[in-house]
Amino acid sequence: MANQALMANAIRALAMDAVQQANSGHPGAPMGMADMAVALWGEHLRYNPANPHWFDRDRFVLSNGHASMLLYAVLHLTGYDLPIGELKNFRQLHSKTAGHPEVDVTPGVETTTGPLGQGITNAVGFALAEKLLAAEFNRKNHDIVDHHTYAFLGDGCMMEGISHEACALAGAWHLNKLIALYDDNGISIDGQVKPWFIDNTEERFKAYGWNVIGPIDGNDAKDVSKAIAKAKKEDSKPTLIICKTQIGKGSPNRANTAKAHGEPLGADEITLTRAALNWPYPAFEVPQEAYADWDHKAEGAKAEAAWNDKFAAYTQAYPGLAAEFTRRMKGELPKNFHQVAFDTVVAAHTKGETVASRKASQLALEAFTAALPEMLGGSADLTGSNLTNTKSTAALRFDAKTGAVVMGQPQQPAQGAEDEPKPDSTADKAEPPHGLIGRHINYGVREFGMAAIMNGVALHGGFIPYGGTFLTFSDYSRNAIRMAALMKRRVVHVFTHDSIGLGEDGPTHQSIEHAASLRLIPNLDVWRPGDTAETAVAWAVALQNQSRPTALLLSRQNIAYAPKGDLGDISRGAYVLSEPEAVGLKSKKTAAVIIATGSEVQLALAAQKLLAEKKIAVRVVSMPSTTTFDRQDVAYKKSVLPKKLPRIAVEMGCTGGWWKYGCAAVVGIDSYGESAPAPALFKHFGFTAENVAATVEAALRD
């Protein structure tokens, strides 16, 4: 039998030693949750330290990411590729043990956590992805998708509003394989939480539709293990296990105090703690018997091998489904994707429709969602405005009694699936067409929760998540957008109503600073397309961006199609849309360049014509994605924006970001909008062809 006290004390010792050596960190939570980790990782979690990415492993999320030394200690002890030297380098430059866990940096870390509340929300995304993949791919006697998602979270996660958004959805979705363990230690940085945190957590989660166990003694590994075993039997609800713990457990003078939360214990207190824990070993030394009790390499290899055998049998029975499952879990697009993208862009160009870019987005989505069964859409209660639903993406629903995913065919057969085997209703081994599950999620008015859940879905694998809201509400979801960019995950945000062009709803809904603000987020692609072809290209690029999220900024108002001779350069973020000869100035030397995005491209083209009447030759550059254009080579940038020509930018947003292109002038808006019909607002704020032309003339005079 494993010595659970020894196992827990190994975590405590490593946590306090690493924080002390770094002179920075949070020892209290790892010391308090050590027994919880022993119960979960020692007796229930299914994982293989030798292969952190095998598919049907259980997922673990440390939502209270400041307790990172708990996770690093466990990963080291169980046999992951995280040697003791990395623990000694805790919080140091280029180590694998950053201050907060980071995915793709430390083997075994499933998501980057630290901003409180987002970890548990990512866990909801993990559990949702697991449930949907199981519904789509599992067959009788072939449950290839069958794993749990576990999360540790603390008071801070509970207090963050996003936890309300995500946990309510988890209940509505009946995510019974989501098990959250709440470290209820009653302490935060400011001290005892009683004066400011009076929630009845048990009743709160029951109201969400969760199964609640406890409070239990979170410092008793056996009690925690029994609670987890009970939670795993729940067949229709997520489970919250309330674990009463002592922060800094084992420390004679710091336990149950805020002092244990966010600073080293100090050399003297560590000496006292070692004595109290009966831990006679020097810093960073763990006895072999503790390593032996923690070692999970053999058991992990056995678990993965069993699943590999199961998947081999599945592959033999359902070769088509197995191949599709493998493709999707690798994040690869279908072989015909480039043809689908090409056809979609060419069709948009050929039709040349005058529609709002939000509608252009839906037109592109019709093609892409039909061809890509992994696309999982949604909207934060604005489906009819964001237009994120398509004929191939029926609404996702769950049976109120059983919690099972409601299965049903999409409204129309998915395009590109004509060559797939047709289902035989009499054959047990029949492979049904894609689209059996609903693929459009009604997130409700939960922008932040939606964004962080999408991050979890993307991290899990098997789906490409996208979700919509108004651009001005990107502020609500901004930190989750930032986390997607930091984690380099393919998530697509559909932001409609992108400017004062939305009209009468007024300044509360009219985006001014949002485009520029989003463009400041490293590794986030931001597209503001100006017609149907540019929108289709933006979607195609977003779907191919395996290591970066994308924000699509789309108009409410209609935009005329901009005729163009070549579609190839749109994907480079900016391209020459119209030269002076297009408006009758063949021999006139180009005097200036107008750069425009989105709906303002039409203003630039109209201004080009007005200037041509005065024999002023102007090039119009459409720049749907500054972030993409900025990554192009110098030669291409110079070909689009010649150095010696004055540049005038036009965008219905704040002007600050445009000066980096050496603009002589910017037609923008650096104040909030007004409530009025869009045409009146355009005139009031100077978004007219006449004003753009006058601005160009003024720049040329200067």
Side-chain angles (χ1 to χ4, degrees):
M1 295 291 291
N3 186 334
Q4 293 183 324
L6 183 70
M7 294 170 70
N9 286 339
I11 295 175
R12 295 186 175 103
L14 289 172
M16 65 183 183
D17 290 342
V19 172
Q20 184 68 28
Q21 178 147 311
N23 196 30
S24 173
H26 302 74
M31 295 172 73
M33 292 192 294
D35 303 291
M36 296 162 57
V38 169
L40 176 60
W41 287 75
E43 298 190 3
H44 294 281
L45 196 73
R46 189 172 59 169
Y47 60 101
N48 182 8
N51 183 9
H53 301 292
W54 73 283
F55 172 69
D56 208 36
R57 68 193 182 278
D58 290 337
R59 269 63 166 181
F60 173 77
V61 175
L62 184 67
S63 189
N64 42 351
H66 57 270
S68 56
M69 267 310 305
L70 171 85
L71 183 52
Y72 298 149
V74 170
L75 293 173
H76 166 71
L77 292 167
T78 54
Y80 283 84
D81 184 18
L82 195 68
I84 196 70
E86 292 292 348
L87 275 62
K88 292 179 179 179
N89 287 328
F90 179 55
R91 290 189 166 221
Q92 304 309 300
L93 186 64
H94 302 316
S95 77
K96 292 183 179 180
T97 50
H100 294 83
E102 295 185 24
V103 69
D104 298 332
V105 172
T106 313
V109 172
E110 299 283 4
T111 179
T112 300
T113 55
L116 294 176
Q118 288 199 59
I120 182 62
T121 310
N122 293 164
V124 172
F126 278 112
L128 176 65
E130 190 275 343
K131 184 165 187 170
L132 296 184
L133 286 171
E136 186 174 358
F137 285 98
N138 285 353
R139 294 296 181 267
K140 185 179 180 181
N141 299 321
H142 291 279
D143 292 334
I144 60 163
V145 183
D146 185 14
H147 54 268
H148 283 81
T149 299
Y150 296 93
F152 283 5
L153 69 159
D155 292 321
C157 295
M158 288 294 190
M159 285 186 268
E160 288 286 357
I162 189 174
S163 69
H164 295 261
E165 299 181 23
C167 293
L169 282 169
W173 295 338
H174 300 269
L175 301 180
N176 62 295
K177 289 186 179 177
L178 172 62
I179 299 175
L181 287 82
Y182 168 34
D183 176 33
D184 185 9
N185 60 46
I187 298 289
S188 69
I189 292 176
D190 282 352
Q192 293 280 346
V193 301
K194 289 181 180 179
W196 56 84
F197 184 48
I198 62 170
D199 297 22
N200 186 326
T201 300
E202 179 180 357
E203 293 301 321
R204 169 186 160 188
F205 274 76
K206 284 182 177 178
Y208 291 153
W210 284 54
N211 171 42
V212 179
I213 299 175
I216 65 170
D217 183 356
N219 292 132
D220 186 324
K222 289 183 173 60
D223 279 359
V224 177
S225 182
K226 289 177 183 177
I228 295 172
K230 184 178 179 181
K232 289 164 69 175
K233 295 178 181 178
E234 172 59 50
D235 61 2
S236 66
K237 297 178 180 179
T239 296
L240 178 72
I241 303 174
I242 302 175
C243 302
K244 289 287 186 179
T245 66
Q246 293 182 6
I247 192 170
K249 181 173 174 59
S251 172
N253 299 301
R254 294 290 183 89
N256 288 323
T257 71
K259 277 283 188 181
H261 186 282
E263 61 184 68
L265 296 182
D268 292 342
E269 186 65 16
I270 286 178
T271 298
L272 294 173
T273 303
R274 277 187 153 77
L277 295 175
N278 192 25
W279 189 265
Y281 313 100
F284 295 106
E285 183 176 316
V286 177
Q288 285 304 312
E289 52 264 40
Y291 276 120
D293 285 344
W294 270 112
D295 186 10
H296 198 76
K297 294 190 289 293
E299 189 173 347
K302 183 179 180 181
E304 182 181 357
W307 183 81
N308 288 338
D309 290 342
K310 182 183 292 188
F311 190 70
Y314 180 82
T315 300
Q316 185 173 4
Y318 305 102
L321 282 174
E324 177 70 2
F325 178 82
T326 300
R327 175 189 72 79
R328 284 173 53 174
M329 292 311 302
K330 288 181 177 179
E332 298 174 352
L333 296 174
K335 292 181 179 179
N336 68 336
F337 173 78
H338 291 291
Q339 187 63 50
V340 171
F342 178 83
D343 293 344
T344 303
V345 175
V346 170
H349 174 63
T350 303
K351 293 178 181 178
E353 295 175 281
T354 296
V355 295
S357 55
R358 61 170 176 165
K359 181 62 179 178
S361 171
Q362 188 180 44
L363 293 173
L365 277 172
E366 288 289 357
F368 288 124
T369 56
L372 276 67
E374 60 264 46
M375 291 186 70
L376 183 66
S379 174
D381 203 47
L382 291 168
T383 300
S385 295
N386 301 148
L387 304 182
T388 48
N389 59 327
T390 69
K391 294 177 181 178
S392 299
T393 55
L396 177 62
R397 294 292 183 263
F398 300 86
D399 187 275
K401 292 183 178 180
T402 67
V405 178
V406 175
M407 308 295 282
Q409 295 287 349
Q411 296 176 30
Q412 289 186 2
Q415 296 178 14
E418 290 82 4
D419 58 345
E420 295 182 357
K422 301 302 179 183
D424 180 357
S425 59
T426 63
D428 187 35
K429 296 182 180 181
E431 297 187 19
H434 301 307
L436 286 177
I437 63 170
R439 290 193 286 137
H440 190 270
I441 302 172
N442 299 102
Y443 284 98
V445 188
R446 300 182 179 97
E447 297 88 357
F448 193 8
M450 174 179 69
I453 287 171
M454 289 197 296
N455 288 349
V457 169
L459 286 158
H460 181 280
F463 292 103
I464 300 174
Y466 65 95
T469 186
F470 290 170
L471 177 56
T472 191
F473 301 144
S474 64
D475 287 337
Y476 284 140
S477 50
R478 183 180 179 86
N479 200 261
I481 300 170
R482 180 180 185 270
M483 293 303 294
L486 176 64
M487 295 188 288
K488 301 179 180 179
R489 281 327 189 255
R490 178 168 48 188
V491 177
V492 184
H493 293 272
V494 179
F495 294 125
T496 66
H497 297 59
D498 68 347
S499 69
I500 61 172
L502 68 89
E504 293 85 346
D505 274 342
T508 59
H509 284 52
Q510 292 167 2
S511 299
I512 301 298
E513 76 280 16
H514 298 82
S517 178
L518 289 170
R519 289 168 183 150
L520 292 175
I521 299 177
N523 202 48
L524 173 68
D525 254 7
V526 181
W527 284 80
R528 189 164 180 258
D531 59 21
T532 51
E534 288 187 1
T535 305
V537 169
W539 264 110
V541 172
L543 292 169
Q544 294 175 84
N545 277 344
Q546 291 196 31
S547 60
R548 71 176 78 242
T550 301
L552 305 178
L553 318 187
L554 308 170
S555 74
R556 176 180 185 263
Q557 72 275 23
N558 287 344
I559 307 174
Y561 188 78
K564 47 185 70 70
D566 186 8
L567 303 174
D569 287 336
I570 299 176
S571 62
R572 305 187 75 168
Y575 63 101
V576 178
L577 175 62
S578 179
E579 293 282 29
E581 52 261 34
V583 287
L585 299 180
K586 292 184 179 180
S587 59
K588 195 74 174 177
K589 185 178 180 180
T590 303
V593 177
I594 303 177
I595 310 168
T597 74
S599 53
E600 290 77 84
V601 171
Q602 293 302 313
L603 284 180
L605 292 172
Q608 182 192 40
K609 291 181 180 179
L610 291 178
L611 291 165
E613 294 173 2
K614 298 182 179 182
K615 305 302 180 185
I616 300 174
V618 171
R619 167 186 283 187
V620 174
V621 168
S622 177
M623 191 179 288
S625 177
T626 64
T627 54
T628 304
F629 179 69
D630 290 348
R631 295 196 301 271
Q632 303 306 308
D633 58 73
V634 174
Y636 182 74
K637 291 179 183 178
K638 287 182 178 179
S639 72
V640 175
L641 302 176
K643 274 192 172 182
K644 295 181 180 180
L645 296 180
R647 303 164 187 175
I648 297 86
V650 186
E651 184 174 59
M652 283 193 280
C654 63
T655 60
W658 288 102
W659 301 108
K660 70 177 180 179
Y661 296 110
C663 292
V666 180
V667 180
I669 175 171
D670 288 314
S671 64
Y672 292 109
E674 298 280 352
S675 180
L681 293 173
F682 298 155
K683 184 176 181 180
H684 175 74
F685 286 106
F687 291 101
T688 64
E690 291 76 13
N691 185 50
V692 174
T695 302
V696 174
E697 291 186 81
L700 291 174
R701 287 195 298 270
D702 294 341

